Amino acid sequence: MNWNAIWNKRNAIVPLLLLLSTGMALPLPAQEVLTLEQCRELALSNNKQLQVARLGQDVAANTRKAAKTKYLPHVDGLAGYEHFSREVSILNDHQKSALSNLGSNAIGKVDSRLGLALQNLVDNNIVSPQAAQDFSQMMKAIGNPMAQAGDDLGNTIREAFRTNNKNIWAASVMVTQPIYMGGSIKAANEMAQISEDMARNQIDNATQTTLFAIDNAYWLAVSLKNKERLAKQYLELVQKLDDDVHKYIREGVATRADGLKVDVAVNHAEMLVTEVEDGVSLSKMYLCQLCGLPLDGTITLADEGFSGNGADETWSEEGALDLDRRPEVRLLQNAVDMSRQTTKLTQALYRPHIGLTGGVLFSNPNVFNGFEKKFKGMWNIGIIAQIPIWSWHEGRYKINATRTATQMAQLELDDIREKISLQVEQSKFKLKEAQKKRAMAEKNMASAEENLRCANIGFHEGVMSVTNVMEAQTAWQQAETQRIDADIDVHLSYIALQKALGTLHLQ
């Protein structure tokens, strides 16, 4: 593989990632030197998904607190006013009329019967007609005031039966204390606690994802910066060879064809320098985007000048593999636990519910002293029980469905555990392989340097051609490129292993 192919493979994804770039306001001084830890901190503080996860944790915490209040008595107040177009009447129209004419009707019946009685007395010569007439006149004089008094009494009774309920005001306060809700309150509290755990695990997952992305972007930028240094060194080599060849051409030692070969190599080296400089700019822009820095800011990475011997990351085989450190595993375990609590909540819907109630009720008009236009009330206390009797096995079907959902979640958890175990083993293998490649690249680099030194000496002594020197330079360039790639691969493989183990955290 030549140097240009390696560069293209490493840099191919950068322009696509930059399409997602957004400007984030966090000004940075020019030529600010950033370490990997500083980049991590900036990325964590500016990552929008991480901020959403943190807000989700606040939502889950408040939901859990709200669920706990279900154990406590709840007090509700109710007040209202209603205006009706008609008034409710206890008496019908005939009864109202009878009460309004109570005295007149009564006196009329008395007069009628009294007249018949007096007439019988006159007919039987017991009382004289004159005496009967005088007595009748006297009774009429007494009856009229009595009829009026009777009418007044009837109207009073009629008014007493009036409801006067066209305008009604009412207010009540009700206290409800759950005693047994079939286990639904406990299940709801467990679900709220699980939701809070899920929110924490989502934060951990977003944190590790962000750190993994920022570490890869950081070491990609470092790799390209070192390749930029290498490209410039290679350009200096071919330019030095170009000067020597043109001197030899003027002296007649070298041919014009040799000069053309070297000129082509110089042009190629200059093109590589331009390409890698563009790659460095793009990779740093992507890093700035992840860190929340202005895309046009100028930054310098602390590891840009590393010699290639600092990647000594190793992984200890001590201790058993703990898959629960992976947030993905914990999230799936939360899903299994949540599904189990859903089953309990469904079961609670088809169990008896018992609650204690109490309260006070005020109304105007009230019926505690007739229909009185005053606010008066009463208190009450009682027990409410709801017992499901028959629902055509609806509850059983729903419970079976939730249990099946739990089995599905458990299978997904088992599957992800197996895949993560495989991923960990692959990451270990890749780290060991990267370390071996780095050792081989260092040996190849030593050989390439010695080969280049011998080629330069041979060329000046006239025992080697320009082509031999150019081949040695190309081999040296490729060996140095492979050494840089191998060293960066050790860093990236170690990061991938930490991500697979769930131990990728801010130091």
Side-chain angles (χ1 to χ4, degrees):
M1 182 184 294
N2 58 32
W3 188 91
N4 195 34
I6 296 173
W7 147 248
N8 288 334
K9 180 181 178 182
R10 178 71 68 177
N11 190 46
I13 197 173
V14 175
L16 295 176
L17 294 174
L18 285 173
L19 293 176
L20 302 175
S21 301
T22 55
M24 299 181 182
L26 184 57
L28 199 72
Q31 296 298 329
E32 178 74 13
V33 178
L34 291 178
T35 64
L36 177 59
E37 290 305 313
Q38 288 175 325
C39 290
R40 285 178 157 199
E41 291 173 357
L42 288 170
L44 292 180
S45 62
N46 289 280
N47 186 273
K48 294 295 187 295
Q49 293 301 318
L50 195 55
Q51 293 175 9
V52 170
R54 292 192 184 104
L55 293 176
Q57 186 179 24
D58 293 338
V59 172
N62 286 301
T63 302
R64 175 183 55 81
K65 294 176 182 178
K68 285 188 176 296
T69 63
K70 298 298 182 181
Y71 288 110
L72 305 175
H74 283 220
V75 181
D76 298 309
L78 178 65
Y81 164 78
E82 290 288 342
H83 174 76
F84 297 93
S85 61
R86 300 182 64 182
E87 184 178 300
V88 175
S89 177
I90 297 176
L91 303 176
N92 57 38
D93 293 340
H94 177 72
Q95 292 171 333
K96 292 179 186 177
S97 177
L99 287 173
S100 297
N101 299 284
L102 178 64
S104 299
N105 293 335
I107 295 300
K109 291 180 179 180
V110 170
D111 286 344
S112 175
R113 292 180 180 179
L114 181 61
L116 292 175
L118 290 175
Q119 185 62 41
N120 290 329
L121 293 175
V122 171
D123 292 341
N124 294 321
N125 296 318
I126 298 174
V127 177
S128 66
Q130 184 61 39
Q133 184 178 3
D134 293 340
F135 185 76
S136 176
Q137 292 294 330
M138 180 185 67
M139 292 302 299
K140 287 183 178 180
I142 297 174
N144 289 334
M146 292 182 63
Q148 184 62 43
D151 291 345
D152 293 340
L153 177 62
N155 285 323
T156 301
I157 296 172
R158 174 182 173 179
E159 188 66 24
F161 275 98
R162 183 184 175 189
T163 59
N164 195 17
N165 63 344
K166 292 184 67 175
N167 298 286
I168 297 179
W169 290 265
S172 67
V173 178
M174 179 67 68
V175 180
T176 305
Q177 172 61 60
I179 298 177
Y180 177 71
M181 296 289 112
S184 61
I185 297 179
K186 182 179 179 181
N189 276 268
E190 292 292 335
M191 294 174 72
Q193 182 63 55
I194 294 170
S195 296
E196 192 172 11
D197 293 340
M198 291 181 71
R200 283 194 293 267
N201 292 331
Q202 287 172 346
I203 291 176
D204 192 11
N205 186 44
T207 299
Q208 294 201 26
T209 301
T210 302
L211 292 178
F212 184 71
I214 199 69
D215 283 18
N216 278 271
Y218 180 89
W219 289 113
L220 174 61
V222 170
S223 173
L224 293 174
K225 188 64 180 178
N226 280 274
K227 288 179 180 178
E228 180 186 16
R229 171 182 54 80
L230 172 61
K232 292 179 179 179
Q233 290 177 351
Y234 176 67
L235 177 60
E236 292 175 358
L237 285 177
V238 295
Q239 286 176 340
K240 177 66 170 59
L241 179 61
D242 185 59
D243 292 339
D244 293 341
V245 169
H246 281 83
K247 289 179 183 178
Y248 290 155
I249 291 174
R250 289 192 295 270
E251 294 175 0
V253 178
T255 65
R256 183 172 178 78
D258 293 334
L260 292 175
K261 290 180 182 179
V262 179
D263 289 340
V264 172
V266 171
N267 292 334
H268 179 66
E270 290 175 347
M271 182 181 65
L272 290 180
V273 171
T274 301
E275 289 179 351
V276 77
E277 285 177 347
D278 292 341
V280 170
S281 298
L282 290 175
S283 64
K284 287 190 176 182
M285 288 176 65
Y286 176 55
L287 184 62
C288 288
Q289 188 267 331
L290 291 178
C291 293
L293 304 176
L295 298 183
D296 56 352
T298 304
I299 61 173
T300 301
L301 304 182
D303 293 294
E304 285 184 2
F306 84 114
S307 62
N309 297 320
D312 55 353
E313 285 88 348
T314 57
W315 181 77
S316 175
E317 295 282 351
E318 297 179 0
L321 176 62
D322 186 7
L323 296 181
D324 289 335
R325 287 183 297 194
R326 284 288 294 266
E328 297 93 335
V329 173
R330 297 200 300 271
L331 283 170
L332 286 175
Q333 183 62 58
N334 292 146
V336 173
D337 296 337
M338 183 71 77
S339 182
R340 289 172 179 163
Q341 294 302 323
T342 301
T343 300
K344 294 182 180 179
L345 189 62
T346 305
Q347 290 173 334
L349 296 176
Y350 300 93
R351 292 173 179 169
H353 292 180
I354 301 175
L356 178 65
T357 63
V360 292
L361 172 65
F362 295 91
S363 66
N364 183 2
N366 68 84
V367 294
F368 304 113
N369 186 24
F371 287 91
E372 190 176 18
K373 293 287 289 184
K374 291 182 180 180
F375 273 104
K376 286 188 178 181
M378 62 179 176
W379 60 268
N380 63 85
I381 186 171
I383 294 179
I384 298 177
Q386 178 187 4
I387 303 174
I389 297 176
W390 182 251
S391 59
W392 301 100
H393 303 296
E394 177 190 17
R396 186 177 69 180
Y397 299 144
K398 288 185 176 181
I399 292 170
N400 290 339
T402 58
R403 286 173 176 169
T404 302
T406 302
Q407 293 175 357
M408 294 169 59
Q410 185 64 52
L411 289 174
E412 291 181 1
L413 176 60
D414 296 339
D415 181 61
I416 198 67
R417 284 180 177 274
E418 293 175 359
K419 290 180 179 178
I420 289 177
S421 298
L422 178 60
Q423 184 185 33
V424 170
E425 294 302 321
Q426 290 175 338
S427 299
K428 291 180 191 176
F429 176 79
K430 289 181 179 180
L431 177 58
K432 293 177 181 178
E433 183 181 20
Q435 291 170 338
K436 291 179 181 178
K437 287 182 177 180
R438 182 184 62 182
M440 294 173 61
E442 290 175 352
K443 292 180 181 179
N444 292 338
M445 186 60 197
S447 299
E449 288 177 345
E450 180 62 20
N451 182 39
L452 179 59
R453 187 184 68 82
C454 293
N456 286 327
I457 294 174
F459 175 72
H460 290 297
E461 292 179 355
V463 296
M464 285 191 176
S465 66
V466 173
T467 301
N468 297 134
V469 177
M470 292 175 62
E471 290 176 350
Q473 289 176 343
T474 302
W476 173 84
Q477 178 203 35
Q478 292 178 348
E480 178 66 8
T481 299
Q482 291 173 356
R483 186 189 64 80
I484 294 173
D485 286 341
D487 198 61
I488 295 298
D489 282 342
V490 172
H491 283 285
L492 298 181
S493 298
Y494 183 69
I495 295 167
L497 178 58
Q498 286 183 308
K499 179 70 164 57
L501 292 170
T503 58
L504 186 60
H505 298 289
L506 188 63
Q507 300 297 328

